[in-house]
Amino acid sequence: MSKSLPAMTIQDVRTPDPKRFIPGATGDWEVVIGMEVHAQVSSNAKLFSGASTGFGAEPNAHVSLVDAAMPGMLPVINEECVRQAIRTGLGLKAEINRRSVFDRKNYFYPDLPQGYQISQYKQPIVGEGKVSVSVGPDREGRFEEIEIGIERLHLEQDAGKSVHDQHPTMSYVDLNRSGVALMEIVSKPDLRSSDEAKAYLTKLRTIMRYLGTCDGNMDEGSLRADVNVSVRKPGGEFGTRCEIKNVNSIRFVGQAIEFEARRQIGVLEDGGAIVQETRLFDPSKGETRSMRTKEEAHDYRYFPDPDLLPLEFDQAYVDALGRDLPELPDDKRGRLIDSLGLSAYDASILVSDKAIADYFEKVAAGRDGKLAANWVINDLLGALNKAGRDIEDAPVSPDQIGAIIDLIREGTISGKIAKDLFEIVWNEGGDPRELVESRGLKQVTDTGAIEKAVDEVIAANPDKVEQAKAKPSMAGWFVGQVMKATGGKANPQAVNDLVKQKLGVEG
Amino acid sequence: MSVDLQTVKRVAHLARIAVTEDDAARMTGELNAILGFVEQLDEVDVSGVEPMTSVTPMKMRERQDEVTDGEKAADIVANAPATDANFFLVPKVVE
């Protein structure tokens, strides 16, 4: 927890921006936010024991004698957790500390059997870094790029879980989470609105998902945030902050900040003062309230854990991990814009989720990037959104969308038929090429057949023909009728040309 | 550095150790004697010396990321004073 660290000089790296100000009775206010994000490390076993990290097990099934803090048990660090912390640090463009130290953070709570949490205090494994965050889009569809400083990242143990509603006088304690590795990622107080805070947390999650260092699943508690909020007059001295603990969804982060900023402004405008305290966000009421914990709970009496030696590794190890990092979202976005010619907007959407980016790259392989982007964003994501499904269980595979795009490019089907074909594949599955054959969806390019259809429509509508001669834009009506008569299978360009030729109109 | 009666009571409470008034008064004297003894270390000039976190000249041992333990919930809760369905039961604690 950063607040108990030795005082550091806080630098204001942002320029106050009126569009983020919150109006109050005495003028505008500016909110200042810093976040401590707890991310569960993706690993098979816990940080200091060989018990499983799997979610949803029976009570106390994933517990070793180390996790239950039985006398005489000693912690042995999991090398994978160290590796994942370093990789995350590299993804945050942060300084990696080749020597770090584990400390005991002492407090008393039933779901913490050791009576202390093994954490890192003065010498964390990762130091300062930075994250580039896209905020938006605004009403004009624009994104704003901001840079948020990272103060540190350290490794620590998670605690167990207490259940309070099973018994009138007893709490139930399950230690399955006890000892699971967490990365606490502490930002600098560089955030200036709830939207920025939400975008920052989303970006952290995206980076960790690309790296495979945290699954980012907030429903299962893999990612939680403590949010430090204070308000001030724009550009003035930093105000006193309150810490909102354990917010477990991105939406709640936004709601908690909005409520807390307004609450603090209300207190200050009524002539009161903000008391530095820990608060809880209540999602059902949409408000924060003071945690009535005794003040001494914050007296953690940190000291180096005598059961553990300092954590040391050489630069060659760090360099090797750096070489093996996957392409990160910012780099991928740059590449999609530069080499595939996508718009910044489309590229931002595609890289925002690793699963979407992977899907898109499979569709785009060997095909036109923009066309692939249109299909993935408009058709696939649109349909998924409508159906309330995730890309992981999309009923249409990248190969299937790719085949539909190929069929359009080859002139085998029209764009309109392609949309119908997509729907058939979505609902029924199957190979798009075979479906085109079996359902007779092939585009009619045979000029004779199209000509016949055009002639029929013209012959049946002599009045419209007269109108079209006076008003050439009426030709569109004939094109529509011919397309209808051919079940949408006629090549629209060929129909257009023939209609104009037969009516004797231009344009 | 020295401690007063208040501090001794506070430290005892933080550690959840029950200490009577009489014992607290006695321990204040004992703790101050110990602290005075430790204070003699201040006579050594340690400027520029890195704090030592271990006395063993060895590298920390690491484990592979393999599940090798757990799946013994009944053993884990075997000695607990109160349990239900392999949960530990403790006097109710609610924030």
Side-chain angles (χ1 to χ4, degrees):
Chain A
M1 195 175 290
S2 60
K3 76 157 67 114
S4 38
L5 283 172
M8 53 181 168
T9 325
I10 301 172
Q11 275 193 325
D12 193 351
V13 295
R14 303 287 303 276
T15 309
D17 183 343
K19 72 170 181 281
R20 294 188 183 83
F21 293 170
I22 303 172
T26 60
D28 285 337
W29 293 83
E30 189 181 26
V31 62
V32 176
I33 306 152
M35 286 170 88
E36 292 160 23
V37 173
H38 294 88
Q40 181 180 329
V41 175
S42 293
S43 65
N44 299 318
K46 293 182 178 181
L47 181 54
F48 294 114
S49 86
S52 167
T53 59
F55 179 78
E58 292 294 308
N60 290 311
H62 291 170
V63 179
S64 75
L65 297 177
V66 177
D67 310 316
M70 294 296 171
M73 295 298 112
L74 288 173
V76 181
I77 196 163
N78 180 342
E79 61 173 11
E80 175 67 6
C81 299
V82 174
R83 191 177 151 267
Q84 294 285 52
I86 297 170
R87 294 177 72 243
T88 307
L90 292 170
L92 300 175
K93 299 181 172 48
E95 183 191 343
I96 306 297
N97 295 326
R98 277 154 43 204
R99 183 179 195 277
S100 63
V101 173
F102 286 97
D103 298 273
R104 290 185 180 179
K105 175 180 175 177
N106 300 279
Y107 67 93
F108 187 85
Y109 205 76
D111 59 23
L112 186 80
Q114 290 167 153
Y116 57 85
Q117 175 193 34
I118 304 179
S119 182
Q120 297 190 297
Y121 183 46
K122 287 182 182 164
Q123 299 181 69
I125 184 167
V126 175
E128 293 186 322
K130 55 180 188 267
V131 181
S132 154
V133 178
S134 287
V135 186
D138 61 14
R139 287 200 185 89
E140 281 89 45
R142 282 179 311 219
F143 287 89
E144 186 186 355
E145 292 292 319
I146 56 172
E147 191 168 272
I148 301 304
I150 298 293
E151 175 68 30
R152 57 187 276 152
L153 176 155
H154 67 251
L155 279 168
E156 63 183 28
Q157 298 175 300
D158 203 350
K161 193 176 84 179
S162 308
V163 186
H164 304 294
D165 58 3
Q166 299 292 304
H167 193 280
T169 58
M170 306 292 263
S171 289
Y172 281 48
V173 178
D174 172 15
L175 299 179
N176 281 343
R177 293 193 67 96
S178 170
V180 168
L182 301 179
M183 296 179 280
E184 178 171 327
I185 303 167
V186 182
S187 84
K188 297 198 181 276
D190 290 352
L191 298 155
R192 295 289 178 272
S193 74
S194 59
D195 282 344
E196 289 188 1
K198 288 193 287 184
Y200 164 75
L201 184 53
T202 306
K203 185 61 177 280
L204 273 190
R205 183 171 66 166
T206 305
I207 291 173
M208 290 189 285
R209 281 182 169 167
Y210 271 69
L211 291 166
T213 56
C214 168
D215 67 23
N217 193 333
M218 298 189 89
D219 293 338
E220 294 178 4
S222 302
L223 197 62
R224 289 114 69 188
D226 297 343
V227 192
N228 286 288
V229 178
S230 65
V231 297
R232 63 173 178 180
K233 288 291 183 179
E237 293 283 309
F238 284 115
T240 302
R241 68 177 174 274
C242 291
E243 181 183 23
I244 310 162
K245 292 292 270 187
N246 251 332
V247 188
N248 61 5
S249 95
I250 291 174
R251 194 162 53 91
F252 292 163
V253 164
Q255 289 176 4
I257 292 167
E258 291 291 331
F259 177 88
E260 182 60 17
R262 300 234 164 250
R263 185 191 71 85
Q264 291 186 14
I265 291 168
V267 169
L268 293 169
E269 291 194 330
D270 286 345
I274 301 301
V275 182
Q276 185 166 338
E277 63 176 352
T278 305
R279 299 178 69 86
L280 272 182
F281 177 68
D282 180 345
S284 63
K285 296 197 179 108
E287 62 182 34
T288 66
R289 60 168 188 271
S290 184
M291 273 172 80
R292 311 228 173 267
T293 342
K294 296 180 191 97
E295 273 176 32
E296 69 217 18
H298 288 305
D299 191 345
Y300 293 130
R301 296 150 292 146
Y302 281 97
F303 64 90
D305 192 320
D307 289 342
L308 290 160
L309 289 163
L311 174 59
E312 291 176 293
F313 41 80
D314 56 23
Q315 190 57 40
Y317 181 59
V318 179
D319 293 343
L321 292 177
R323 278 193 299 275
D324 286 344
L325 285 192
E327 184 182 39
L328 289 168
D330 292 345
D331 298 328
K332 193 184 285 284
R333 189 179 60 165
R335 180 169 59 79
L336 297 188
I337 294 170
D338 295 341
S339 58
L340 295 184
L342 300 194
S343 68
Y345 184 88
D346 285 356
S348 295
I349 289 175
L350 292 170
V351 304
S352 66
D353 183 332
K354 178 159 191 296
I356 295 174
D358 290 347
Y359 190 107
F360 166 74
E361 300 234 52
K362 282 188 201 136
V363 176
R367 302 192 177 93
D368 179 69
K370 282 186 186 170
L371 203 53
N374 282 342
W375 272 88
V376 170
I377 294 170
N378 299 332
D379 298 276
L380 180 75
L381 294 183
L384 287 170
N385 198 20
K386 214 164 131 190
R389 299 171 80 153
D390 288 329
I391 189 129
E392 284 83 358
D393 48 35
V396 180
S397 73
D399 284 346
Q400 287 170 317
I401 286 202
I404 295 174
I405 293 172
D406 291 343
L407 288 163
I408 304 172
R409 296 294 282 189
E410 293 159 11
T412 310
I413 56 173
S414 66
K416 189 188 168 301
I417 289 291
K419 306 278 179 192
D420 297 341
L421 180 57
F422 176 80
E423 243 187 88
I424 295 170
V425 175
W426 175 282
N427 291 319
E428 305 168 30
D431 175 9
R433 279 185 189 280
E434 281 167 17
L435 286 167
V436 165
E437 291 293 337
S438 63
R439 311 263 170 127
L441 300 174
K442 261 192 176 167
Q443 180 162 254
V444 179
T445 42
D446 169 12
T447 327
I450 299 174
E451 200 167 349
K452 186 163 164 282
V454 173
D455 286 343
E456 280 168 11
V457 173
I458 287 178
N461 298 282
D463 51 330
K464 292 276 196 322
V465 172
E466 283 312 310
Q467 286 175 27
K469 285 192 169 137
K471 196 175 159 215
S473 62
M474 272 295 292
W477 182 85
F478 284 91
V479 173
Q481 292 299 305
V482 173
M483 292 305 290
K484 212 161 145 190
T486 56
K489 286 182 285 183
N491 180 318
Q493 192 54 47
V495 174
N496 200 36
D497 292 348
L498 274 168
V499 163
K500 282 178 182 163
Q501 185 195 323
K502 301 251 174 197
L503 292 174
V505 298
E506 285 297 320
Chain B
M1 185 189 172
S2 66
V3 292
D4 57 14
L5 187 64
Q6 265 328 97
T7 309
V8 170
K9 285 186 186 168
R10 183 172 138 79
V11 171
H13 176 66
L14 284 172
R16 298 301 189 277
I17 297 172
V19 177
T20 63
E21 281 293 324
D22 288 352
D23 281 348
R26 180 178 53 78
M27 288 172 89
T28 306
E30 284 180 6
L31 282 170
N32 280 330
I34 294 168
L35 286 168
F37 177 64
V38 173
E39 241 162 35
Q40 290 180 31
L41 292 172
D42 286 348
E43 291 167 18
V44 185
D45 179 9
V46 291
S47 53
V49 179
E50 216 179 297
M52 184 172 64
T53 40
S54 168
V55 292
T56 44
M58 56 186 282
K59 204 175 175 302
M60 179 154 70
R61 230 189 91 217
E62 303 189 351
R63 69 161 71 234
Q64 303 276 312
D65 184 29
E66 285 162 8
V67 177
T68 56
D69 208 341
E71 310 308 325
K72 50 184 172 204
D75 291 349
I76 292 294
V77 301
N79 293 326
T83 65
D84 181 15
N86 288 339
F87 279 100
F88 292 98
L89 263 56
V90 299
K92 199 155 208 158
V93 275
V94 184
E95 285 292 351

